[in-house]
């Protein structure tokens, strides 16, 4: 049996509710799954923040959102405006997409300035930086991780889940090796089962972005002889 409790594993999960086509009833079903399994947080579309905060009130599940999602190419001014609105709507964490083209171009100062502006706008709330590793080589991932730390973010994160590739153990290890102990690593994209989740944590991730929370935690509970909550399901592919 894995040497982690269901509660501790749930505490690493940001339950992703980000597909653009999702209807309000579908969003609500996912919010309920997050509450049933007691995950750390949900990561919702910006337009769903206020609703998610109301629906999850009293559950202990935090509400986060995405900034400059999924391409990262919006201006810094626009990203800051998104953060400001997200906080006003009740978000407690923000996951911003790095300007991928700037990172690939070697515009390091511009990348740091973009990150720092979002971190400053978050006013002490946790800010994570998504590198979208499927578009990057190892040098760019390592450098992007260091630039994330230079910009003051709390986490460097692998992927949006919409870029044609997701987290890998090798990339998580590379990111972990290129930031200091103050910066944490979030593995996101393609984390859909218990074995993968545990491998990401073993590689150095401390947070998991996934829409497969019920599957992952249900697999762990099954090993312990239990069963998942009635009606719990996960049919998305993030």
């Amino acid at each position: 049996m894995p040497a982690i409790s269901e509660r501790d594993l749930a505490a690493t999960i940001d339950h992703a509710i980000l597909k653009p086509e999702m209807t309000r009833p579908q969003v609500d079903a996912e919010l309920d799954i997050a509450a049933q399994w007691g995950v750390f947080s949900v990561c919702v579309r910006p337009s769903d923040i206020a609703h998610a905060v109301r629906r999850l009130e009293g559950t202990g599940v935090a509400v986060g959102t995405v900034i400059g999602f999924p391409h990262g190419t919006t201006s810094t001014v626009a990203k800051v405006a998104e953060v400001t609105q997200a906080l006003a709507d009740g978000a407690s964490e923000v996951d911003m997409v790095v300007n991928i083209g700037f990172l690939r171009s070697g515009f390091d100062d511009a990348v740091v300035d973009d990150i720092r502006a979002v971190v400053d706008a978050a006013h002490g709330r946790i800010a994570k930086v998504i590198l979208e590793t499927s578009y990057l080589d190892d040098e760019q991932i390592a450098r992007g991780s260091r630039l994330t730390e230079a910009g003051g973010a709390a986490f460097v994160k692998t992927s949006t889940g919409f870029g044609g590739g997701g987290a890998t153990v090798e990339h998580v290890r590379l990111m972990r090796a290129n930031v200091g102990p103050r910066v944490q690593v979030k593995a996101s994209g393609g984390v859909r089962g218990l074995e993968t989740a545990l491998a990401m944590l073993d590689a150095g991730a401390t947070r998991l972005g996934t829409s497969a929370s019920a599957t992952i935690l249900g697999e762990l509970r099954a090993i312990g002889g239990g069963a998942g909550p009635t009606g719990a399901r996960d049919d998305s592919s993030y």
Side-chain angles (χ1 to χ4, degrees):
M1 181 174 180
I4 189 169
S5 69
E6 182 181 320
R7 176 179 293 182
D8 288 345
L9 183 56
T12 72
I13 292 176
D14 294 340
H15 185 66
I17 311 174
L18 294 168
K19 287 187 173 183
E21 74 275 17
M22 294 181 83
T23 64
R24 179 54 60 81
Q26 289 173 321
V27 169
D28 285 347
E30 295 299 326
L31 293 172
D32 292 347
I33 286 171
Q36 289 166 359
W37 286 98
V39 300
F40 180 81
S41 78
V42 293
C43 189
V44 300
R45 303 172 301 195
S47 57
D48 293 327
I49 297 169
H51 175 73
V53 169
R54 289 191 297 269
R55 192 171 183 91
L56 292 172
E57 185 177 4
T59 66
V61 178
V63 176
T65 195
V66 286
I67 303 297
F69 194 84
H71 299 131
T73 53
T74 48
S75 69
T76 298
V77 171
K79 288 178 180 177
V80 168
E82 283 189 271
V83 175
T84 300
Q85 185 62 55
L87 298 188
D89 288 342
S92 57
E93 297 189 357
V94 294
D95 292 26
M96 70 166 284
V97 185
V98 76
N99 190 310
I100 302 162
F102 282 6
L103 177 58
R104 285 168 52 92
S105 298
F107 298 161
D108 291 3
D109 289 344
V111 171
V112 171
D113 288 347
D114 191 48
I115 294 168
R116 185 176 291 118
V118 168
V119 170
D120 289 347
H123 297 296
R125 277 79 162 187
I126 286 177
K128 313 185 195 83
V129 176
I130 307 170
L131 298 184
E132 200 66 287
T133 51
S134 62
Y135 294 148
L136 308 175
D137 60 27
D138 285 357
E139 184 279 330
Q140 292 162 346
I141 293 168
R143 180 161 45 84
S145 299
R146 295 192 295 270
L147 297 177
T148 293
E149 183 165 23
F155 280 80
V156 60
K157 175 179 171 181
T158 56
S159 316
T160 63
F162 294 89
T168 68
V169 165
E170 293 75 20
H171 287 163
V172 169
R173 286 178 178 153
L174 181 61
M175 293 159 74
R176 179 67 267 161
N178 279 277
V179 294
R182 185 190 65 79
V183 179
Q184 300 179 64
V185 177
K186 177 176 174 179
S188 184
V191 183
R192 302 189 188 107
L194 179 61
E195 182 178 0
T196 302
L198 295 178
M200 296 300 172
L201 296 176
D202 186 62
T206 54
R207 199 80 73 83
L208 304 172
T210 180
S211 61
S213 305
T215 298
I216 292 167
L217 294 168
E219 287 179 14
L220 182 59
R221 183 174 288 186
I223 292 172
T230 301
R233 54 154 184 79
D234 190 279
D235 56 7
S236 54
S237 60
Y238 179 84

